[in-house]
Amino acid sequence: MSDELNQLENITHQYRRSLSAYEARTGRDAVTVERDGSGEERQRIAAMDADLSAIEARMQSMAAEKARAEKRAAELEARLAEPVYRTMPTAQTVENRDSAEYAQRWLKAVASGNPAEMRALTTGSANAGIPTDMERRIVDRMFQANVMRQIATVSTIDSKRTIPVQNALPTTALVAEAGPISASDPSWSSAISIVPYKLATRVTMSQEFIEDAIGDAGIGSGLQYVADKCALSIALKQEEYYTVGTGSSQPLGICVDIGTTGAISQGVDLAGAADTVTADEILDAVHAVSPQYRASPRFRWLVSDAMLKNIRKLKDTAGYYVFSPASSVNQTNVVGLPGTIYGVPYSVGQYVPTATGTDNVYAVVGDFSYFEIFDRTGITSMIDPYSGAANHNVNLYVYTRTDSHIMLPEAFAAIYG
């Protein structure tokens, strides 16, 4: 929620500055701006009102979601503390992945390597959905370890998708009284194909570990261990593809080379290494993005740590650091808001390219609501009790399917080599 608080502080600061400027210009009270302000002033105040309302709604939604998650976690902990059934559950209970009983049977199936038991946990497949509590832990850990999932738009889909991209709006024109109105339709330039690619990881567990985890008091810690191992592996690989994926038999990353189909096509060409970037080029990159996208609350930088180090040393011609460690109005160099580059928030991605190369993207700035991650519903498990049988080990495979795309390349600009 820290990003929302920073955005709220930013917009509130701009709001006050705009009202103060109106009072200084007209000598009237600020409350009259919506009635007596210029068209530009009224439009600016209306836009900031809309942004504030959107941020507040999002914060309320996040608070409500957090409350629901805490309630659900409390319910799960209460269930896990109850005695475990020793009899075969009913078919209706089997499919309830929220229950401690399901988690117990899932771990027993892993321990025994019993494909028939795994099929009983699902609907006619040798692969079973993992317990809900474990899936929640995996998703939470994936979010923590994956910067792109935090700043991008994340959607859940139930199949492949083809999304058309509009390239022209209907025509609007002045019309004389009783004059004819010419009809015109929007046009569509291309379509983005969403293909969830499968990412799988393997966790090897000893028979002793699994048997101990099945105990009445140990099931939570056992699920936590497995969830942590799976989530970290999957999250790091997802982060790599979301950042530099080529889009060919894999997700398309935000930092894919300039010139790749669907990639960012505008920005600043350093024609060299990342450490040659100048303050003017930082400003040029921000203003290469149209103002309507720069006004978005999700407008931000994605940089490598090495690029951030270079940027923090830069000053503009007035002597101000491009990196502002204290509060600042968006897209100014006035000292102020923590952690901004030219007044724009930033995130550090560990897979953002740093090596010198033609068309290598070193940094991206843009409205990240137009970079979208598509998750196929659910996280699924499969067991292999045979490969590690000589060492009394069981291999657990966990896989998920995902894709990512730049939905609107003009909403971004890149600094590239």
Side-chain angles (χ1 to χ4, degrees), residues 105-129:
R105 291 194 64 207
W106 183 86
L107 271 176
K108 285 183 178 180
V110 173
S112 63
N114 187 350
E117 181 72 2
M118 294 297 280
R119 282 197 294 272
L121 292 169
T122 183
T123 53
S125 169
N127 303 333

Side-chain angles (χ1 to χ4, degrees), residues 209-277:
F209 163 78
I210 299 172
E211 290 170 353
D212 292 342
I214 291 176
D216 290 353
I219 192 168
S221 59
L223 291 180
Q224 183 70 60
Y225 170 84
V226 178
D228 282 354
K229 296 300 180 183
C230 295
L232 271 177
S233 178
I234 294 174
L236 292 175
K237 185 53 67 173
Q238 283 183 342
E239 177 83 349
E240 180 179 356
Y241 283 122
Y242 296 154
T243 306
V244 293
T246 64
S248 177
S249 300
Q250 59 186 252
L252 181 71
I254 188 69
C255 292
V256 66
D257 287 353
I258 297 293
T260 304
T261 302
I264 299 169
S265 56
Q266 61 186 2
V268 175
D269 185 358
L270 300 183
D275 59 6
T276 64
V277 67

Side-chain angles (χ1 to χ4, degrees), residues 135-403:
E135 182 167 346
R136 175 184 60 79
R137 298 177 200 213
I138 289 179
V139 171
D140 286 349
R141 190 62 179 266
M142 283 166 56
F143 180 84
Q144 294 166 13
N146 195 317
V147 171
M148 294 303 299
R149 297 186 77 87
Q150 298 178 41
I151 64 178
T153 299
V154 180
S155 303
T156 300
I157 59 174
D158 57 6
S159 64
K160 295 180 180 180
R161 289 284 186 272
T162 299
I163 301 177
V165 179
Q166 186 175 359
N167 73 337
L169 297 173
T171 302
T172 300
L174 289 171
V175 179
E177 183 177 352
I181 301 175
S182 300
S184 63
D185 295 325
S187 60
W188 309 88
S189 60
S190 61
I192 295 176
S193 295
I194 308 303
V195 182
Y197 298 101
K198 183 163 69 175
L199 293 174
T201 187
R202 182 184 72 181
V203 176
T204 300
M205 297 173 287
S206 70
Q207 192 75 12
E208 291 84 355
F209 163 78
I210 299 172
E211 290 170 353
D212 292 342
I214 291 176
D216 290 353
I219 192 168
S221 59
L223 291 180
Q224 183 70 60
Y225 170 84
V226 178
D228 282 354
K229 296 300 180 183
C230 295
L232 271 177
S233 178
I234 294 174
L236 292 175
K237 185 53 67 173
Q238 283 183 342
E239 177 83 349
E240 180 179 356
Y241 283 122
Y242 296 154
T243 306
V244 293
T246 64
S248 177
S249 300
Q250 59 186 252
L252 181 71
I254 188 69
C255 292
V256 66
D257 287 353
I258 297 293
T260 304
T261 302
I264 299 169
S265 56
Q266 61 186 2
V268 175
D269 185 358
L270 300 183
D275 59 6
T276 64
V277 67
T278 66
D280 286 348
E281 286 167 335
I282 295 294
L283 273 61
D284 288 343
V286 170
H287 289 278
V289 182
S290 296
Q292 65 265 34
Y293 304 120
R294 300 205 306 269
S296 169
R298 298 179 74 169
F299 185 75
R300 66 189 304 110
W301 287 93
L302 178 68
V303 298
S304 67
D305 193 54
M307 187 66 164
L308 178 63
K309 181 183 71 173
N310 297 328
I311 292 173
R312 292 194 66 164
K313 301 174 183 178
L314 299 177
K315 293 181 180 180
D316 64 14
T317 54
Y320 291 106
Y321 281 104
V322 171
F323 181 91
S324 298
S327 225
S328 109
V329 178
N330 192 28
Q331 294 164 36
T332 72
N333 287 327
V334 180
V335 186
L337 183 71
T340 64
I341 300 172
Y342 186 41
V344 179
Y346 70 87
S347 296
V348 176
Q350 63 176 308
Y351 294 105
V352 176
T354 57
T356 303
T358 303
D359 295 334
N360 274 10
V361 172
Y362 303 133
V364 170
V365 62
D367 181 359
F368 276 81
S369 62
Y370 289 105
F371 182 77
E372 193 156 358
I373 294 169
F374 300 91
D375 288 335
R376 180 70 172 85
T377 305
I379 297 174
T380 306
S381 63
M382 183 176 68
I383 58 172
D384 171 19
Y386 307 113
S387 299
N391 297 316
H392 217 203
N393 289 333
V394 174
N395 289 314
L396 169 67
Y397 296 90
V398 175
Y399 69 86
T400 184
R401 296 168 64 197
T402 190
D403 197 6

Side-chain angles (χ1 to χ4, degrees), residues 15-27 41 44:
Y15 200 106
R16 291 173 179 163
R17 283 173 57 92
S18 298
L19 292 179
S20 298
Y22 168 77
E23 290 177 334
R25 183 178 69 79
T26 64
E41 288 171 330
R44 185 185 308 118

